[in-house]
Amino acid sequence: GTELFLDQATTWDQAFQDLNASSAEVDRASRKLCRRPPGYWRDQLPAILAAIEEERGANLAQGQIADPHGYSDRETAAVASRTCEVCHGGGLVTVFHRGYDGDPTLHVVNSDGSTSRIKSRFALACLCPLGRWILAANLRSASMPKYAGPEAERIRAEA
């Protein structure tokens, strides 16, 4: 809770954001570092960043997010999913919190006695071909730079 700690936490957070590292990547790199921790605390952040870069370099498929079923377009995936009994061909499934009472949010009591407001229902990608296509399309979109692809063309045309 000291000012030095907050400065270091902000620095680490910014470094992970600059690298566009997901929390899963940071967790894996941190666990890997636990096997041979750096000698000094100042060496921890560079070592974690290096471990993330090393993992990304070893994963040659990263950045080439493809549909695992080979459906290159939404229409083909939708046809293959029309008989799905989970999502009924829509590709998305609504999952409800066990305390769902019709309200879009729930108030839950935390372990410290405070209360938090959380969502009571979520839309998730189904495991059918269309759901997997939607998930792959979202991952591809998230991995693109902000002004790339068709959106970049539209923005350039408006400028």
Side-chain angles (χ1 to χ4, degrees):
T2 66
E3 189 173 326
L4 178 62
F5 175 81
L6 293 175
D7 287 345
Q8 289 298 320
T10 303
T11 301
W12 280 49
D13 188 45
Q14 188 62 49
F16 295 141
Q17 286 179 18
D18 291 346
L19 195 60
N20 200 18
S22 69
S23 60
E25 286 178 312
V26 173
D27 289 343
R28 282 192 302 272
S30 298
R31 283 193 302 273
K32 182 178 180 182
L33 227 59
C34 286
R35 295 181 198 134
R36 280 203 184 124
Y40 298 100
W41 67 271
R42 288 186 177 103
D43 297 334
Q44 290 177 353
L45 179 60
I48 291 173
L49 296 175
I52 291 170
E53 290 289 349
E54 179 184 332
E55 179 185 343
R56 287 179 177 176
N59 184 2
L60 300 177
Q62 186 163 359
Q64 300 172 2
I65 302 165
D67 179 27
H69 295 289
Y71 297 103
S72 60
D73 62 294
R74 184 183 180 99
E75 292 77 24
T76 308
V79 169
S81 300
R82 67 176 180 261
T83 59
C84 179
E85 295 179 7
V86 178
C87 69
H88 306 288
L92 296 173
V93 179
T94 302
V95 179
F96 298 92
H97 187 278
R98 66 176 171 262
Y100 179 72
D101 61 358
D103 194 15
T105 59
L106 288 174
H107 293 279
V108 294
V109 179
N110 300 321
S111 60
D112 64 354
S114 64
T115 60
S116 297
R117 193 170 68 165
I118 62 170
K119 291 183 176 184
S120 60
R121 61 181 181 238
F122 303 88
L124 302 176
C126 185
L127 295 176
C128 69
L130 181 58
R132 293 199 181 248
W133 185 92
I134 291 170
L135 182 60
N138 283 334
L139 289 172
R140 279 191 302 271
S141 174
S143 68
M144 281 183 158
K146 186 174 182 178
Y147 296 110
E151 185 66 13
E153 297 302 320
R154 185 187 66 76
I155 290 170
R156 279 191 214 103
E158 290 178 358

